[in-house]
């Protein structure tokens, strides 16, 4: 194919991109680079554990990511932080996404919101599904409005496993905060008695990649505390010390 005919999100990778192809995510130059295999390993662990519980029974795992929120009745968006189980499996940074893992193959499909052209005015380029597929290293990325049809095709008559479980710290049921029913095909019910406990158990034992990341995060946090203690002077207020801590963590 002539290079001029390749869509802009499928251009051959540059030398720098090839050198960094083993890395999944970073905040920029001189920041920690998360290896690409971390989330893939997490999905493989879940598929294996589900197989141990269910055998080779086919089905799909359906997860809903965190949703975007505004402050009260305004259009001021709150700072978004991804739902933890969704982040563990997919590493997706953006709100309002879904994810599906087919059993027992482990084939993974992400679903992104279909953004209007006005989004680009304020937020910049709207990335294509293929660009996100390459970024998140999954088998496919589709739009959320294609979710039910895709789940129907992938699951067939087999179970659709969703998360329902109570957080032991907050006492909140995840399914009440992020109801998965909106992603279920019409007339289908979810299997809620396997996934939460299995996925929670997967997160208990950390991989070597996860341990390296946790070590780095602990180091950044510790250094932020040191910076706060160095800057602490008589008469300073707590919010000023908090600001110094947040600045160090965000900057590094």
């Amino acid at each position: 194919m002539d290079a001029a005919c390749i869509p802009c999100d499928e251009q051959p990778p540059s030398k720098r991109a090839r050198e960094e192809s083993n890395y999944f995510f970073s905040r920029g130059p001189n920041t920690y680079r998360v290896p690409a295999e971390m989330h893939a390993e997490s999905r493989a662990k879940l598929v294996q554990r589900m197989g141990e519980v269910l055998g080779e029974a086919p089905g799909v795992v359906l997860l809903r990511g965190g949703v975007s929120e505004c402050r009260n009745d305004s259009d001021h968006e709150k700072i978004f932080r991804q739902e933890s189980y969704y982040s563990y499996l997919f590493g997706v940074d953006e709100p309002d996404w879904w994810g599906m893992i087919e059993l027992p193959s482990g084939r993974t499909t992400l679903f992104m919101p279909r953004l209007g052209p006005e989004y680009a005015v304020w937020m910049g380029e709207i990335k294509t599904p293929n660009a996100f597929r390459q970024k998140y290293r999954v088998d496919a990325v589709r739009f959320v409005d294609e979710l039910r049809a895709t789940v129907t095709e992938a699951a067939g008559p087999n179970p659709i496993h969703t998360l329902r479980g109570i957080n032991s710290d907050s006492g909140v049921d995840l399914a009440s905060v992020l109801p998965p029913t909106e992603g279920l095909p019409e007339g289908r019910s979810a299997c809620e008695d396997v996934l939460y406990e299995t996925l929670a158990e997967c997160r208990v034992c950390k991989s070597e990649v996860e341990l390296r990341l946790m070590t780095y995060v602990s180091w950044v946090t510790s250094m932020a505390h040191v910076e706060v203690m160095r800057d602490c002077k008589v008469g300073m207020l707590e919010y000023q010390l908090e600001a110094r801590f947040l600045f160090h963590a965000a900057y590094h």
Side-chain angles (χ1 to χ4, degrees), residues 103-142:
L103 302 174
S105 69
R107 175 179 168 79
T108 300
T109 304
L110 295 176
F111 299 88
M112 59 182 284
R114 195 184 293 272
L115 302 172
E118 65 278 3
Y119 178 92
V121 175
W122 304 105
M123 303 301 292
E125 177 190 8
I126 298 176
K127 294 182 179 178
T128 66
N130 187 57
F132 278 120
R133 181 187 63 80
Q134 295 179 52
K135 176 181 179 180
Y136 291 125
R137 313 293 178 87
V138 294
D139 297 292
V141 175
R142 298 187 177 183

Side-chain angles (χ1 to χ4, degrees), residues 26-187:
S26 77
R27 287 293 183 191
N30 303 316
T31 64
Y32 190 88
R33 295 186 292 183
V34 179
E37 70 266 20
M38 188 174 77
H39 298 284
E41 288 179 357
S42 298
R43 293 194 296 272
K45 184 193 294 187
L46 175 63
V47 170
Q48 179 183 346
R49 291 286 179 88
M50 292 290 282
E52 293 169 358
V53 175
L54 303 170
E56 292 299 306
V60 300
V61 167
L62 180 65
L63 281 89
R64 184 177 189 177
V67 298
S68 55
E69 296 182 85
C70 290
R71 184 178 61 199
N72 302 323
D73 61 338
S74 72
D75 66 347
H76 177 84
E77 295 182 358
K78 295 181 180 180
I79 296 176
F80 175 73
R81 181 164 181 172
Q82 187 59 268
E83 193 281 316
S84 296
Y85 287 100
Y86 193 88
S87 180
Y88 172 75
L89 290 176
F90 307 116
V92 171
D93 227 15
E94 296 81 10
D96 307 318
W97 283 54
W98 292 69
M100 180 182 72
I101 304 173
E102 299 176 39
L103 302 174
S105 69
R107 175 179 168 79
T108 300
T109 304
L110 295 176
F111 299 88
M112 59 182 284
R114 195 184 293 272
L115 302 172
E118 65 278 3
Y119 178 92
V121 175
W122 304 105
M123 303 301 292
E125 177 190 8
I126 298 176
K127 294 182 179 178
T128 66
N130 187 57
F132 278 120
R133 181 187 63 80
Q134 295 179 52
K135 176 181 179 180
Y136 291 125
R137 313 293 178 87
V138 294
D139 297 292
V141 175
R142 298 187 177 183
F143 290 106
V144 170
D145 54 34
E146 302 173 289
L147 174 63
R148 286 185 169 180
T150 306
V151 172
T152 299
E153 180 181 355
N158 303 305
I160 302 172
H161 301 277
T162 62
L163 284 174
R164 175 177 290 278
I166 296 177
N167 184 291
S168 58
D169 293 319
S170 67
V172 175
D173 183 354
L174 178 58
S176 67
V177 179
L178 295 172
T181 51
E182 296 177 20
L184 294 176
E186 188 173 353

